[in-house]
Amino acid sequence: MKIYLAGPDVFLPDAIEIGRRKVDICARHGLTGLYPLDNAVDLSAGDASLTIFKGNEAMMDAADAIIANLTPFRGPGADAGTVYELGYMAGRRKFLLAYSNDPATYADRVARFDKVTQSASGLTDSDGLAVEDFGWPDNLMMIHALDLHGCPLVTPKQALSDIWHDLAAFEACVGLAADRAKGKSS
Amino acid sequence: MKIYLAGPDVFLPDAIEIGRRKVDICARHGLTGLYPLDNAVDLSAGDASLTIFKGNEAMMDAADAIIANLTPFRGPGADAGTVYELGYMAGRRKFLLAYSNDPATYADRVARFDKVTQSASGLTDSDGLAVEDFGWPDNLMMIHALDLHGCPLVTPKQALSDIWHDLAAFEACVGLAADRAKGKSS
């Protein structure tokens, strides 16, 4: 089974090393991890971003599954590029897996950045926009896509000290993918 | 042509009215707008979020195209639920359209929320994570998906006073969809 390894990990200073660790974990479970190309492209080239896009899309098309890192990124929710890729793989009818290294609910995450108000009509932010308050860690579209088209979002039982380098929840996803691969081949 | 109308508009206090305005604009161009169900569901029901998901997914499957509102939402980038839907529609090989009512580049948007630093290795945020700096308004995966699988992101020429109620960029997308629909039928 080939698994596309989506996440804002590509923006870390040690992005290439994290990618190697993730691919190694996949290999230990008998799976092939495909890590996005963002760091394998000459960023000074005029068409660098298009080259990254085309490479990542081809990698997703070649993969059987995705493991998306939905750890909150620059705000209360997941990285947009990663969420796009999760949606793309859902549309391609691939097997969906994801983790978030932040176990908090979305409402609690919004409250870290903004003043939220509870009223009879529900929870709102300081701009008066509704805050999803279903008790899920992120937007319902991702949460239920995982429930229905893969495995439920994996989160740690408690907050982690290093949300960008702890790969326990990632490895739990790899284990679920390996179970799925065995089920398919048996 | 049926168009799924994705966006954080569903979180506005006047979400239903905005939906009506968008559907009316589509109708004036001879198109059918499908507005997400978030506000047509009893939120007190135990399975409300799953009902919303299934309804929205069925609506996307029935649509020929998407117009996604990628205006920044609770941070420098687009709403996660909307981005998921744009990815899903790309995966389903539907026609992709989107607008953002904020014409700023992603790097400038990040600088509104965080201290960014330019060094020889590129632009980084205060956590040391790389900031995409290609001059696009949001993550490259969405920008190039639109370029290659629909029409380039539509943005206003200058900042708007009411980013949540100005529908000029939305109507420009509807016009592009109408052109596409005519092209297909001729």
Side-chain angles (χ1 to χ4, degrees), chain A:
Chain A
M1 180 187 266
K2 289 182 193 160
I3 308 179
Y4 184 74
L5 305 177
D9 312 58
V10 294
F11 302 123
L12 290 169
D14 53 351
I16 293 170
E17 173 59 20
I18 288 279
R20 280 202 198 106
R21 286 177 59 199
K22 286 189 159 183
V23 168
D24 286 350
I25 290 170
C26 290
R28 284 207 298 277
H29 288 262
L31 306 173
T32 303
L34 305 176
Y35 191 61
L37 288 175
D38 301 50
N39 295 284
V41 167
D42 174 9
L43 292 180
S44 66
D47 59 352
S49 73
L50 183 60
T51 303
I52 294 170
F53 175 86
K54 287 182 175 174
N56 291 354
E57 189 175 79
M59 230 180 229
M60 288 193 283
D61 287 339
D64 308 294
I66 181 172
I67 299 179
N69 177 0
L70 299 182
T71 302
F73 179 76
R74 292 190 186 133
D79 165 54
T82 305
V83 172
Y84 172 86
E85 294 174 337
L86 184 68
Y88 182 82
M89 292 296 268
R92 301 304 301 145
R93 305 302 191 222
K94 308 293 177 102
F95 192 66
L96 308 185
L97 297 146
Y99 66 100
S100 170
N101 273 344
D102 181 345
T105 64
Y106 182 72
D108 285 344
R109 293 176 181 183
V110 174
R112 289 178 196 158
F113 293 89
D114 195 9
K115 185 171 160 51
V116 299
T117 306
Q118 184 77 55
S119 73
S121 61
L123 203 64
T124 51
D125 67 15
S126 62
D127 290 329
L129 275 74
V131 176
E132 270 197 13
D133 189 21
F134 296 113
W136 311 130
D138 212 320
N139 186 284
L140 71 90
M141 293 305 295
M142 287 115 72
I143 298 301
H144 290 306
L146 290 161
D147 292 341
L148 295 182
H149 305 311
C151 295
L153 182 72
V154 175
T155 54
K157 287 206 172 59
Q158 54 200 29
L160 301 175
S161 59
D162 186 346
I163 57 170
W164 295 120
H165 295 90
D166 190 309
L167 294 183
F170 170 77
E171 184 149 12
C173 289
V174 177
L176 291 166
D179 290 345
R180 165 85 174 185
K182 280 176 205 152
K184 272 208 158 172
S185 62
S186 67

Side-chain angles (χ1 to χ4, degrees), chain B residues 136-149:
Chain B
W136 312 129
D138 212 321
N139 186 284
L140 72 90
M141 293 306 295
M142 286 115 74
I143 297 301
H144 290 305
L146 290 161
D147 291 341
L148 295 182
H149 306 311

Side-chain angles (χ1 to χ4, degrees), chain B residues 105-129:
Chain B
T105 65
Y106 182 72
D108 285 344
R109 293 176 182 185
V110 173
R112 290 178 196 158
F113 293 89
D114 195 10
K115 184 172 160 50
V116 299
T117 306
Q118 184 76 56
S119 73
S121 61
L123 204 62
T124 52
D125 67 15
S126 61
D127 291 329
L129 276 74

